[in-house]
């Protein structure tokens, strides 16, 4: 068997590769987060009156709901100024009118067979934001529509 002896135990070589890949991926993720934070900070210095929009996702015992922002004013998601604060995520907008393309997917766990996924088609929202204000973007599952409202 190919492997390495470590502390008197035979460890398969593939375990070292797996650990190495996890460490490399973790380092890459930290580097990307740092790079994005710098990009957002530079953008905020140029747009100090930006509005903040929180994305409301749902997690419950038997499933979850995930709201995805696909574009803002035709700019792809990777060009949107995203932020993360602990478990909350969101993006910044300059004051004025914007078109946000969003979608929603919910997953409900099944006790009998397999999870049930429901995907709602992307929708375009026309929104107006004011300087320095905070907003929340969410999906109303009962009425099946997106909500954009000022947050106090």
């Amino acid at each position: 068997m190919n492997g390495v002896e470590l502390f008197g135990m035979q460890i398969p070589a593939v375990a070292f590769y797996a650990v190495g890949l996890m460490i490399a991926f973790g380092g890459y993720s930290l580097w990307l987060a740092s790079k994005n934070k710098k990009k957002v900070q530079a953008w905020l210095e140029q747009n100090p009156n930006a509005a903040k929009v929180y994305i409301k996702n749902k997690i419950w015992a038997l499933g979850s709901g995930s709201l995805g922002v696909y574009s803002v004013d035709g700019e792809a998601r990777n060009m949107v100024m995203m932020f993360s604060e602990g478990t909350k995520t969101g993006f910044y907008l300059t004051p004025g009118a914007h078109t946000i393309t969003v979608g929603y997917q919910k997953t409900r766990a099944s006790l009998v067979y397999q999870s049930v996924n429901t995907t709602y088609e992307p929708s375009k929202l026309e929104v107006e934001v004011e300087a320095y204000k905070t907003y929340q973007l969410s999906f109303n599952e009962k009425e099946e529509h997106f909500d954009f409202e000022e947050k106090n």
Side-chain angles (χ1 to χ4, degrees), residues 38-51:
K38 288 177 185 175
K39 180 175 109 174
V40 169
Q41 192 61 40
W43 186 87
L44 283 173
E45 287 172 7
Q46 293 177 359
N47 300 280
N49 60 347

Side-chain angles (χ1 to χ4, degrees), residues 40-95:
V40 169
Q41 192 61 40
W43 186 87
L44 283 173
E45 287 172 7
Q46 293 177 359
N47 300 280
N49 60 347
K52 201 174 206 180
V53 181
Y54 285 92
I55 298 170
K56 185 175 181 183
N57 292 310
K58 295 181 179 180
I59 298 175
W60 61 93
L62 293 175
S64 64
S66 179
L67 194 152
V69 176
Y70 301 125
S71 69
V72 174
D73 297 330
E75 295 285 334
R77 179 182 163 88
N78 63 343
M79 300 304 291
V80 176
M81 294 299 120
M82 303 294 291
F83 68 84
S84 177
E85 295 174 348
T87 59
K88 297 179 180 180
T89 60
F91 57 97
Y92 293 101
L93 290 174
T94 55

Side-chain angles (χ1 to χ4, degrees), residues 108-145:
R108 184 178 50 81
S110 173
L111 300 174
V112 180
Y113 187 56
Q114 61 188 151
S115 297
V116 177
N117 293 318
T118 305
T119 302
Y120 296 87
E121 291 297 317
S123 298
K124 290 186 184 220
L125 300 177
E126 302 290 332
V127 300
E128 181 84 28
V129 298
E130 296 178 35
Y132 306 108
K133 294 215 174 172
T134 302
Y135 298 88
Q136 180 169 283
L137 177 60
S138 60
F139 185 75
N140 183 323
E141 290 184 9
K142 284 185 181 178
E143 298 177 18
E144 297 185 349
H145 68 81

